Amino acid sequence: MSHLNEFYFIVIAFISELVGSVSGVSTSALFVPLALLVEPLKITLALTAVLHVLGNSVRTISYRKEINWSLTFKFGLPAILFSGLGAEYSDFLPKSIHSIILGLFLTLLSIYFLFINKDEVFSGRWIPYIGGAISGLLTGLLGSGGAVRTLAMTAFNLSPVAFVATSSLIDFGGDIVRLFIYLKKGYLTADHYFYIPIFMVVVVIANWLGKKVLKKISTQHFRRAVLYFVLAMGISSLITGGLNGI
């Protein structure tokens, strides 16, 4: 990787982490499709998991008093299980197909809730379990599935801070599992270890800035902002998938 690409990786990591800290949307929804433009899928998946573990650790500690523990367990247990399952089969599809599948899913779902049924949200007692399972599977398989969980969590009208805190803790469990599997599969080489301390600095600064913004957002505006973030992630993933497929 050239020094320019290394710089690009760090900038994208910072922007993705800042978006994640403000919106509660998984940082990988932005990071993965853009990172795939310069790195192979396996390395991208491993570095995404590293960034996630660090970022979610900081957010969980910062907002620990706002965590909704009931939702954490309902979403988290299936997310952890299916994240490991997805990670085991993460080398099954080419990266262009990964991006296109994820992009279509996020784009169509966010458009539906933004422009077709604006007031409708996911409902039902099984939503946390289904949302956790699907998001975990996509996270392990495609490197980015947290946006599915984010959409499902909008049904519970959490405050912005509680939303980010709970989402981060749920994400953390699955990240640990899939990172272990990626490392076992040899996805991350010693040539890329230098990113770890840089990511640590990126995460601290991005979350410090995000925390200041988050406290000023109302719950209603926050939900729509989340949906727009998801739409943007879906479109970027579609574009990346198309570019990688050319």
Side-chain angles (χ1 to χ4, degrees):
M1 178 187 279
S2 69
H3 292 305
L4 182 60
N5 283 349
E6 291 170 356
F7 175 75
Y8 168 86
F9 235 69
I10 295 168
V11 170
I12 293 302
F14 175 79
I15 295 173
S16 302
E17 190 61 31
L18 182 59
V19 169
S21 67
V22 172
S23 67
V25 178
S26 172
T27 58
S28 59
L30 178 60
F31 183 73
V32 169
L34 296 178
L36 283 173
L37 292 173
V38 294
E39 277 287 11
L41 176 63
K42 293 180 179 180
I43 293 175
T44 295
L45 290 176
L47 289 175
T48 303
V50 170
L51 182 64
H52 261 226
V53 168
L54 295 173
N56 287 322
S57 297
V58 170
R59 283 190 289 277
T60 298
I61 293 171
S62 298
Y63 303 132
R64 60 189 179 278
K65 294 181 180 179
E66 301 291 336
I67 294 171
N68 184 310
W69 288 101
S70 175
L71 283 183
T72 296
F73 288 114
K74 290 177 181 178
F75 274 96
L77 294 178
I80 291 172
L81 175 63
F82 280 86
S83 179
L85 179 64
E88 284 290 349
Y89 294 95
S90 56
D91 50 1
F92 181 69
L93 295 173
K95 64 181 182 180
S96 60
I97 301 300
H98 278 73
S99 295
I100 291 172
I101 292 174
L102 180 64
L104 280 173
F105 188 85
L106 297 181
T107 301
L108 294 175
L109 210 56
S110 55
I111 286 175
Y112 177 78
F113 285 108
L114 277 169
F115 306 113
I116 299 176
N117 275 317
K118 297 182 180 180
D119 297 324
E120 184 178 336
V121 295
F122 290 108
S123 61
R125 61 182 298 185
W126 294 104
I127 289 302
Y129 305 103
I130 296 172
I134 295 175
S135 67
L137 181 64
L138 291 177
T139 297
L141 185 64
L142 309 179
S144 177
V148 176
R149 180 190 64 254
T150 298
L151 287 171
M153 285 180 63
T154 59
F156 297 94
N157 292 317
L158 300 175
S159 70
V161 175
F163 189 104
V164 173
T166 305
S167 180
S168 297
L169 182 56
I170 293 168
D171 215 9
F172 180 77
D175 291 334
I176 291 292
V177 172
R178 69 185 178 112
L179 178 58
F180 175 78
I181 293 174
Y182 293 156
L183 293 176
K184 185 183 70 173
K185 287 172 151 304
Y187 284 10
L188 191 64
T189 65
D191 293 338
H192 297 85
Y193 287 170
F194 73 92
Y195 277 114
I196 297 176
I198 296 175
F199 279 1
M200 291 177 67
V201 175
V202 162
V203 160
V204 171
I205 296 175
N207 280 276
W208 176 75
L209 291 173
K211 191 173 184 178
K212 290 183 173 296
V213 175
L214 194 62
K215 292 181 178 180
K216 300 178 180 180
I217 304 176
S218 68
T219 300
Q220 181 179 4
H221 290 153
F222 179 78
R223 179 178 180 271
R224 290 196 63 80
V226 166
L227 291 171
Y228 276 113
F229 275 127
V230 172
L231 176 60
M233 307 312 176
I235 293 172
S236 68
S237 189
L238 280 173
I239 294 172
T240 303
L243 292 174
N244 282 318
I246 295 175

